[in-house]
Amino acid sequence: MFDALSDRLERLSASLRSRGRLSPGDIDAALEEVRTALLEADVELTVVRAFLDAVRTRLVGASLATSLTPGQQVIKAVHEQLIEVLGATPLKVTYASRPPTVVLLAGLQGAGKTTAAAALAQWFKAQGRQPYLVAADLQRPAAVEQLRVLGDSIGVDVYSEPSDPVSVAREGVERARRLGRDVVIVDTAGRLAVDAPLMAEVRAISDATSPHYTFLVIDAVTGQDAVHTARAFHDSLSLSGLIVTKLDYDARGGAVLSARGVVGRPVVFASTGEKVGDFELFHPDRIASRILGMGDALSLIERAEATMDADVVANSASRLMSGQFTLEDFLAQLNQVRKMGSFGGLMKLMPGVTKEMRNAASNVDDRELNKIEAIIQSMTPRERRDPAVLDGSRRTRIAAGSGTSVNAVNQLLKQFGEMKKMMRQMAGGGMPNLPGKLGRAAQMAARADRSREVPAGFEALGAGLRAGSPAPSPSGKNKKKKGGRVTPPKQR
Amino acid sequence: MTYVLVVVALVVVALVALVVVRSRTRRPVLAPPVAPLPEVLVEEVAARPSLDEPDALRTRLASSRGVLDRLRNLSGEGALSREQRDVVEEVLLRSDLGVSTTRAVLEQLDQGVHLGVAGEVRRVLLEFLDRDRGVRLVADPGRIPVWLFVGVNGVGKTTTIGKLAQHHVDEGRHVVLAAGDTFRAAAADQLALWAERASADIVRATEGADPGSVIHDALGRAGARHADIVLADTAGRRANNTNLLDELRKVRRVADRDPGQVVETLLVLDATTGQNALSQAREFLAAAEVTGIVLTKLDGTARGGIVVAIERELGIPVKFVGVGERVEDLRVFVPEDFVDSLLAP
Ligand SMILES: Nc1nc2c(ncn2[C@@H]2O[C@H](COP(=O)(O)OP(=O)(O)OP(=O)(O)O)[C@@H](O)[C@H]2O)c(=O)[nH]1
Ligand SMILES: [Mg+2]
């Protein structure tokens, strides 16, 4: 269902005039594809329309970089527009001159507020602050208990009382002040935007605590309703920004654009997992690529950098390039890649991969990988380095040792041979014989490597590969978590 | 295994390529943005158009002339006009039906409209929703029926179990709850509070314990006390992680082992979820043999139209809907009512 937009425009490109200015008809056809992509990413319909209008203006007016095909021009325009919208008016988290800085979290039921509250506390702690958590969700059974456990695990105190949410919040902030904590995070009960009494209650909490920051916690998988939620919370709480959760789900995250589009407030943080540590400042460029179905090379690389052993990678990368790749290297690589998560998941982040590849990858199951590992592990080091020595009896031994069949061993060896050939071609600078777009992506990577002047990766953009060129972050913010510069907080 | 190696190779190659390229390429100097952008893209979220006949509408929406004008033609017979198509498309997309199911509805309408546009859309949607929605309460002789609840984080699994526990108890059944979410902080406490309210039995273990063993113990308890049914909670998990799904597969196997028998595996979906719900359904179906869906949070403004896509593409019937946080806020799914609420203005 989720064909990458680049794939679709690619197909369309064939019918577009190959170079030069786009005709209005071309633009219509291309924008229709973009519309579908945005809708499949759950961007709200009104926001889609406004967005497409803006892109159309760009395309009509744009003087054209001649090296781009029409499809690429459209993707470039859309991508830039997305980054601009998502990254506009970024919010720097700053601290009140008279502590504590009060942060209020609100949102629908099940959006992930409680986990976000703890994660945020952890984030502030990492900034060298002394956060304090207030559990004002007295609605959901055991919500307070949940925050207590999370608070314990990160070493942050949690305050709550079984009284009423407004007094808990007020008293919590008061206590934080007495205890000399400089940040207070108030978790509130989930509520529907149409639930007037509960909306009045969160409003009262806000009035009682005068938060410096009010964040709407919104789920990345939210559908068309995201705008109503965002608008309603903004109307009653005047949001400072959004926290988007569950970005680790295989969702396109269009809700982020929807919400952003109607309240004009930036997404400040994103959570990418259930653990308190899976929480970071938001990167507009990444979600932009995801919304368009172009993969998320940056997240992929970061994950690779976090989980893979740099030496192992560098080592086998150089052997790979020099064509001396052995089964041993392969096993090492495989282990590294497996640490990063499921193949299906990885392929989804990988730019420029065709649907077939994605499907194939998501069908790779752990058992098969275990089998491959078992087979290689049953070989002697010499056999791993030089599979040519593997005669019938050795193969039988390996099959028995790994609990597989001779047939499986044969297959693995044959495949490995083909794989090596493929890599040798690539290393030799020739056309890598990879299927379809991934091949092109690899080529592109090789080319970008050789000539620095490939402009800002735009050409690669068309094929979806944006690895070498992190997209502009309009705030000029560093990619790594830094945050926490001190400027005056929002007026009260 | 044939393609596995190729895939592995590609992943490895691509990753290495990406890492190498990134380490060598410096950040490009970027051109300034083309045009400054307004902060708010959309000042006014467009109202949902209605499919109702103009006459019925006129009384209710007397003020919104614009909508009325657009609807004037909507009672037509025969072929759909371009404008009618657009309105139908907008209504369905705004209900989260998704692009392909919306297209499927429009294709059906293109074959001719006989009941008025709104009536025809209802008919087509009900056709997609034509399914057996019975729930199984009994297992094979000598075995204990288990209802297993699965889904992503925060959709309402535990709350739904609380509601259903009360429902079963009210009908005179002896219920045992299995607190199979041993992952999330205080998840068992949450279920315990529901058990207390409903006077159901609960079996729980410490956090981090093996969920399978909790369910195993619950079956033991149920057998000893001659319980009529076991409702088993599981930890919320994302649907795109093989390890988590494997764990679920294992939990299901344990629950299905004598004396237990899983008679219903209910996937809980949140009505505010958009297109991702379809992937959730696909993955959970493959991992846990889902037999039905519980659609929660229909008390909000979200319509939950993605379940139409799920029923159409995967054939999993919706069995219950959640319409609030209180114990009585659970209903049996009625397609006619659901479709009406999807199409309501
Ligand atoms: N408005 C509304 N809220 C609901 C409904 N069902 C559940 N909730 C709320 O949604 C939130 C999450 O519900 P839980 O039952 O904890 O969800 P869960 O799937 O068990 O969550 P995890 O165990 O954390 O994965 C709670 O605040 C519930 O009160 C519903 O039908 N309507
Ligand atoms: Mg739960």
Side-chain angles (χ1 to χ4, degrees):
Chain A
M1 173 173 65
F2 289 155
D3 284 346
L5 180 64
S6 44
D7 277 354
R8 290 218 218 94
L9 288 176
E10 197 80 12
R11 262 176 266 138
L12 190 70
S13 274
S15 68
L16 303 181
R17 251 160 284 136
S18 59
R19 298 275 142 143
R21 191 169 287 274
L22 291 165
S23 76
D26 295 342
I27 294 180
D28 282 346
L31 289 184
E32 184 55 34
E33 294 293 328
V34 177
R35 177 176 183 268
T36 305
L38 294 177
L39 286 170
E40 283 187 344
D42 288 320
V43 183
E44 197 266 347
L45 199 54
T46 317
V47 176
V48 170
R49 287 192 191 129
F51 185 85
L52 291 181
D53 284 348
V55 172
R56 182 187 299 274
T57 315
R58 260 174 197 255
L59 285 176
V60 172
S63 66
L64 301 166
T66 44
S67 64
L68 302 182
T69 69
Q72 289 167 342
Q73 285 172 32
V74 174
I75 295 194
K76 172 172 172 282
V78 173
H79 195 263
E80 283 178 354
Q81 182 79 19
L82 274 173
I83 290 172
E84 228 178 291
V85 174
L86 291 169
T89 58
L91 182 97
K92 287 258 156 34
V93 178
T94 61
Y95 302 94
S97 47
R98 283 187 51 224
T101 303
V102 180
V103 181
L104 181 68
L105 302 186
L108 297 179
Q109 290 96 339
K113 283 175 299 302
T114 305
T115 311
L120 197 55
Q122 162 109 325
W123 186 85
F124 278 118
K125 234 183 133 183
Q127 305 294 313
R129 300 279 151 176
Q130 293 170 320
Y132 192 60
L133 283 163
V134 178
D137 177 358
L138 307 181
Q139 183 95 2
R140 203 195 69 200
V144 175
E145 194 47 37
Q146 184 188 352
L147 194 60
R148 285 232 158 88
V149 175
L150 292 174
D152 258 4
S153 73
I154 55 171
V156 173
D157 290 338
V158 177
Y159 169 78
S160 194
E161 277 280 301
S163 52
D164 71 286
V166 181
S167 15
V168 168
R170 186 187 295 116
E171 176 61 21
V173 173
E174 212 27 67
R175 272 178 195 236
R177 183 166 294 135
R178 280 205 301 277
L179 292 167
R181 305 300 163 86
D182 47 13
V183 180
V184 192
I185 298 157
V186 183
D187 179 26
T188 65
R191 65 203 72 228
L192 295 167
V194 288
D195 191 333
L198 277 176
M199 285 306 272
E201 180 199 272
V202 73
R203 182 66 219 259
I205 295 178
S206 173
D207 290 344
T209 53
S210 316
H212 301 84
Y213 293 105
T214 304
F215 291 128
L216 174 68
V217 180
I218 190 164
D219 195 319
V221 300
T222 312
Q224 295 282 317
D225 197 49
V227 287
H228 301 290
T229 305
R231 186 49 75 75
F233 277 92
H234 190 48
D235 285 349
S236 62
L237 293 175
S238 176
L239 303 173
S240 3
L242 310 171
I243 293 177
V244 49
T245 60
K246 306 184 193 171
L247 262 183
D248 54 327
Y249 283 28
D250 177 26
R252 290 287 168 104
V256 175
L257 181 64
S258 307
R260 179 74 180 75
V262 298
V263 301
R265 290 286 187 270
V267 181
V268 187
F269 295 100
S271 90
T272 54
E274 278 178 277
K275 304 226 180 67
V276 165
D278 304 328
F279 190 82
E280 50 186 28
L281 288 168
F282 176 74
H283 306 287
D285 46 341
R286 300 187 188 177
I287 192 96
S289 301
R290 275 172 75 137
I291 289 176
L292 295 180
M294 303 196 320
D296 187 351
L298 280 176
S299 297
L300 192 65
I301 290 172
E302 279 204 351
R303 216 195 283 178
E305 286 174 346
T307 52
M308 291 172 103
D309 183 330
D311 289 340
V312 176
V313 174
N315 242 327
S316 38
S318 65
R319 273 135 95 82
L320 194 150
M321 296 299 180
S322 63
Q324 297 172 324
F325 201 65
T326 66
L327 276 166
E328 201 142 4
D329 296 319
F330 177 71
L331 187 63
Q333 288 279 13
L334 180 61
N335 275 325
Q336 296 293 325
V337 175
R338 284 185 84 177
K339 278 199 285 187
M340 291 176 58
S342 78
F343 276 62
L346 291 179
M347 272 297 183
K348 271 169 194 137
L349 294 175
M350 185 104 53
V353 171
T354 61
K355 199 157 117 202
E356 292 72 44
M357 288 303 305
R358 263 170 227 219
N359 289 344
S362 60
N363 285 332
V364 175
D365 92 46
D366 270 350
R367 267 167 307 203
E368 292 179 281
L369 296 179
N370 290 341
K371 243 201 277 178
I372 293 177
E373 281 197 19
I375 293 177
I376 302 181
Q377 267 153 3
S378 307
M379 297 179 186
T380 64
R382 172 150 170 257
E383 289 166 347
R384 288 182 210 169
R385 275 193 301 273
D386 183 14
V389 304
L390 287 167
D391 53 21
S393 71
R394 283 177 189 252
R395 292 183 190 210
T396 315
R397 188 204 79 229
I398 292 166
S402 59
T404 58
S405 63
V406 174
N407 200 4
V409 177
N410 289 343
Q411 245 183 39
L412 180 121
L413 291 171
K414 184 163 154 260
Q415 296 271 329
F416 183 72
E418 280 167 20
M419 179 179 141
K420 251 183 99 165
K421 218 185 299 163
M422 202 164 82
M423 290 184 173
R424 217 175 292 132
Q425 277 171 343
M426 205 180 132
M431 273 266 299
N433 210 357
L434 306 180
K437 305 202 66 174
L438 192 64
R440 283 223 310 286
Q443 248 180 300
M444 209 84 71
R447 196 156 7 115
D449 181 28
R450 263 180 262 123
S451 84
R452 298 285 142 84
E453 75 237 35
V454 172
F458 285 143
E459 199 169 342
L461 192 66
L465 184 81
R466 297 190 38 77
S469 54
S473 104
S475 60
K477 230 185 308 181
N478 194 312
K479 290 187 313 306
K480 286 269 153 3
K481 301 175 196 172
K482 281 268 153 59
R485 256 210 288 132
V486 182
T487 52
K490 193 176 122 207
Q491 295 301 317
R492 301 225 230 158
Chain B
M1 190 162 82
T2 15
Y3 56 85
V4 176
L5 263 175
V6 176
V7 171
V8 173
L10 285 173
V11 174
V12 172
V13 170
L15 267 174
V16 169
L18 290 180
V19 172
V20 168
V21 169
R22 168 141 126 150
S23 68
R24 297 196 192 161
T25 325
R26 291 269 63 86
R27 232 163 197 266
V29 183
L30 290 152
V34 179
L37 250 138
E39 267 200 12
V40 174
L41 271 185
V42 177
E43 290 292 347
E44 207 48 61
V45 178
R48 235 172 97 93
S50 165
L51 288 177
D52 282 330
E53 312 298 327
D55 280 341
L57 244 191
R58 197 166 286 138
T59 47
R60 260 185 297 147
L61 286 173
S63 58
S64 45
R65 297 241 37 108
V67 178
L68 277 187
D69 288 342
R70 294 180 67 181
L71 286 172
R72 199 129 285 153
N73 292 328
L74 282 189
S75 55
E77 295 268 319
L80 220 55
S81 74
R82 167 92 211 192
E83 196 187 353
Q84 287 174 323
R85 262 181 142 259
D86 286 350
V87 175
V88 172
E89 186 191 32
E90 175 160 357
V91 167
L92 299 181
L93 287 176
R94 281 187 186 286
S95 306
D96 286 318
L97 251 79
V99 177
S100 52
T101 302
T102 298
R103 269 192 203 135
V105 173
L106 288 173
E107 265 159 33
Q108 294 254 338
L109 295 192
D110 286 341
Q111 326 231 308
V113 171
H114 310 288
L115 309 164
V117 177
E120 205 69 37
V121 174
R122 268 193 191 92
R123 183 188 66 73
V124 175
L125 290 177
L126 285 173
E127 218 164 77
F128 290 162
L129 295 174
D130 185 19
R131 237 163 264 292
D132 174 19
R133 295 174 201 281
V135 286
R136 278 188 70 187
L137 281 166
V138 287
D140 296 343
R143 295 177 74 177
I144 304 161
V146 178
W147 286 14
L148 186 68
F149 293 78
V150 302
V152 304
N153 311 81
V155 285
K157 292 176 293 298
T158 308
T159 309
T160 301
I161 294 177
K163 294 170 181 177
L164 277 169
Q166 184 71 57
H167 168 84
H168 286 308
V169 167
D170 288 348
E171 300 214 321
R173 289 181 203 107
H174 183 169
V175 178
V176 173
L177 304 185
D181 180 356
T182 52
F183 181 82
R184 206 202 65 197
D189 296 328
Q190 186 186 350
L191 191 67
L193 286 165
W194 282 106
E196 199 180 310
R197 283 184 203 170
S199 13
D201 259 334
I202 178 168
V203 173
R204 53 183 294 182
T206 49
E207 240 156 68
D210 171 36
S213 75
V214 178
I215 290 178
H216 181 260
D217 291 353
L219 284 169
R221 170 91 58 97
R225 307 216 174 154
H226 306 289
D228 300 296
I229 193 163
V230 172
L231 306 181
D233 198 5
T234 61
R237 67 196 73 225
R238 65 193 167 103
N240 57 339
N241 179 307
T242 28
N243 290 339
L244 293 174
L245 290 178
D246 279 348
E247 184 196 274
L248 188 61
R249 217 171 259 133
K250 206 187 119 211
V251 168
R252 192 186 184 286
R253 257 200 315 272
V254 174
D256 205 32
R257 197 177 297 150
D258 208 20
Q261 184 184 2
V262 177
V263 293
E264 292 286 344
T265 302
L266 296 169
L267 170 65
V268 183
L269 292 176
D270 180 331
T272 56
T273 308
Q275 302 309 300
N276 187 248
L278 192 56
S279 350
Q280 291 173 22
R282 199 171 281 130
E283 302 290 349
F284 279 106
L285 179 63
E289 298 164 46
V290 171
T291 58
I293 285 170
V294 181
L295 184 64
T296 62
K297 308 188 196 176
L298 266 184
D299 45 331
T301 42
R303 314 259 170 166
I306 190 65
V307 296
V308 178
I310 294 173
E311 291 215 359
R312 191 174 79 93
E313 289 182 30
L314 304 174
I316 313 171
V318 182
K319 297 194 170 168
F320 299 100
V321 297
V323 292
E325 296 178 85
R326 293 165 313 166
V327 68
E328 64 270 28
D329 295 332
L330 190 81
R331 309 268 180 281
V332 168
F333 179 82
V334 180
E336 289 77 13
D337 296 351
F338 178 73
V339 168
D340 285 344
S341 77
L342 270 188
L343 301 181

